[in-house]
Amino acid sequence: MRPSARIAAFIELIEKIEGGIAASGAPADSIVNTYFRERRYAGSKDRRTISEWVYGYLRSRAYHLWALENVGVEPAARYAVLSYLAVEAADMLPLFGEEGGYGPDALTEDEVDLIEKLQSFDTVPEEISANIPEWAQAGFKERFGKHAIEAAKALNIAASLDLRINKFKAKRDITDYLTLLPEGAERTPYSSLGLRSHTKPNLAGMKEYKAGEVEVQDEAAQLASLLVGAEPGMQVLDLCAGAGGKSLTVAGQMANKGQLYAMDVSRKRLRECEKRIERAGARNIQVKLLNMDAESRTEALAGFKAACDRVYVDVPCTGTGTWRRSPDQRWRFSSENLSDMYAMQLGLLKEAAPLVKEDGRLIYMTCSVLPQENERIVSRFMKQQPEWKLVDYRNVWNEVLETEAPKSLSSMEECLQLAPHMHGTDGFFIAILQR
């Protein structure tokens, strides 16, 4: 593709992604993947350049919407791209209207004036420069205080790639796997199962990955899984299993002994879970589809009442802790549609509680940094069910991990709140409860 054609593709993708955000449609990564899958003529350099522009825009979208509003222009895809290029790649602007380049139309006089205005801002509100949507600003201030902007900016930096050693299939020492990754790869600082690559490796060409010896999993998710504290022979239930990443980690701790029940309401995600279970060589996981209606769920879970040593629930959430990987996620919520999510989170925690046997543990998790869906949910649950008490994550950490427990950002000292600016992981919250 010629450079001007890349710009045209950039505009087309932003239009599709903005449409997806407005309609709560497909996420950006799915849109980008589909776009290139349908355009095989785009080479690897084309895909890389265009993708960098797209995700660069999403990681600074608040600024570009603010800038366009301040110059009195509607945020159409072409103007959004002009704003991004004016700031980040001004040398691309002369390519508008390039002959025979399959690029965008030439700049109009009004657009040339617009670009000059877009390049003239001296000051920008901190929340805008940090790309924090309005609905999340209060939560960031409550969580991080004077470090809110620092924490938010860390969530605008593309994440490293974390891998987890699969205990069922790993054939060598964990340090030996580092030689398979690009230069600069290292052990994760907290998880004993993790590797971190700061340059994207060719996983599709790595036989060890294809054989299931290593899995992609952020260190925060590894730690959350390890803090479940599962042991061989236990009965464990994952109430929101999704595609099964945590189930596989927990099953590894159980050494294929005992039983782990991976449940979810999504048939599609559970199909992916089943594929991953087979690839990983896990034999102690049973997959079970749950329906959405309360009566059906109650009936499906009745046989597990007071029968599980561990029940963990990684509830659906705003995903604020994963903005490094899914930068468009921050634009899919508003203050108006969060109350239903909080009610669902509390409901899932209450649904999981009766399944735990005496002296068993109930673990609540989110990939969020917001107190509203972390400490406040746990506090409301404990107020309604005072027989449950928090177990200090540091005590469990010392039981299951060899590294030193990190300092938590949680307002509840027993709970673990991770964030990228402090821990280098996704933002993740873990509360461990015991009756």
Side-chain angles (χ1 to χ4, degrees), residues 14-16 32 47 71 104 172 190 217 237 254 262 301 303 335 417:
I14 293 304
E15 185 172 17
K16 290 177 181 293
V32 171
R47 295 193 299 270
V71 298
R172 58 182 83 185
Y190 303 115
Q217 188 177 45
L237 193 148
M254 298 170 69
L301 294 172
S335 300
Q417 176 70 67

Side-chain angles (χ1 to χ4, degrees), residues 7 10-11 14 18 53 56-58 60-71 73-93 96 107 111 114-121 124 128:
I7 297 173
F10 182 18
I11 294 171
I14 293 304
E18 289 290 355
W53 286 343
Y57 166 77
L58 290 172
S60 54
R61 181 176 181 265
Y63 168 78
H64 300 297
L65 296 184
W66 173 85
L68 291 172
E69 182 181 0
N70 273 267
V71 298
V73 174
E74 290 294 320
R78 179 178 169 96
Y79 293 146
V81 167
L82 284 177
S83 179
Y84 178 80
L85 294 178
V87 175
E88 301 293 342
D91 58 320
M92 294 287 105
L93 294 171
F96 279 73
L107 297 172
E111 287 175 337
L114 170 65
I115 290 167
E116 290 182 4
K117 293 177 182 177
L118 291 169
Q119 293 173 327
S120 66
F121 293 112
V124 180
I128 297 297

Side-chain angles (χ1 to χ4, degrees), residues 265-369:
V265 296
S266 170
R267 191 180 300 275
K268 180 180 179 181
R269 287 196 293 265
L270 287 180
R271 286 199 189 106
E272 179 62 24
C273 181
E274 289 173 334
K275 292 177 184 177
R276 294 179 70 184
I277 290 170
E278 183 177 358
R279 175 176 171 271
R283 300 188 304 275
N284 64 329
I285 303 177
Q286 291 189 33
V287 173
K288 186 177 180 65
L289 179 68
L290 291 174
N291 292 324
M292 294 291 288
D293 65 283
E295 184 177 349
S296 175
R297 290 176 68 91
T298 299
E299 182 179 344
L301 294 172
F304 298 94
K305 188 173 182 180
C308 299
D309 298 280
R310 302 285 187 270
V311 176
Y312 59 102
V313 52
D314 183 6
V315 297
C317 68
T318 58
T320 51
T322 65
W323 284 353
R324 299 186 303 168
R325 303 173 192 282
S326 304
D328 59 314
Q329 178 81 356
R330 72 192 73 203
W331 308 113
R332 294 175 178 270
F333 295 92
S334 68
S335 300
E336 289 73 32
N337 63 15
L338 288 175
S339 58
D340 288 343
M341 176 168 287
Y342 301 153
M344 175 181 60
Q345 291 165 345
L346 179 60
L348 284 166
L349 186 56
K350 291 167 70 174
E351 181 181 60
L355 311 180
V356 183
K357 65 170 56 173
E358 192 71 26
D359 294 326
R361 290 178 186 169
L362 172 63
I363 301 95
Y364 177 81
M365 311 174 183
T366 77
C367 53
S368 174
V369 299

Side-chain angles (χ1 to χ4, degrees), residues 150-198:
E150 177 191 359
K153 286 184 174 180
L155 285 161
N156 288 322
I157 300 171
S160 58
L161 177 73
D162 288 357
L163 300 172
R164 172 182 52 77
I165 297 299
N166 175 14
K167 283 189 168 185
F168 298 130
K169 287 194 172 182
K171 297 178 179 178
R172 58 182 83 185
D173 185 79
I174 186 170
T175 54
D176 293 336
Y177 284 94
L178 287 172
T179 62
L180 306 174
L181 299 174
E183 186 176 353
E186 59 191 348
R187 295 280 301 274
T188 48
Y190 303 115
S191 171
S192 56
L193 303 175
L195 304 169
R196 176 165 294 160
S197 178
H198 299 282

Side-chain angles (χ1 to χ4, degrees), residues 227-231 234-236 305-311 353-363 387-391 396 399 432-435:
L227 288 173
V228 169
E231 298 175 3
M234 282 186 171
Q235 298 291 305
V236 180
K305 188 173 182 180
C308 299
D309 298 280
R310 302 285 187 270
V311 176
L355 311 180
V356 183
K357 65 170 56 173
E358 192 71 26
D359 294 326
R361 290 178 186 169
L362 172 63
I363 301 95
E387 70 272 21
W388 289 91
K389 302 298 180 184
L390 283 167
V391 177
V396 181
E399 295 171 2
I432 306 166
L433 297 120
Q434 191 160 352
R435 186 184 284 108

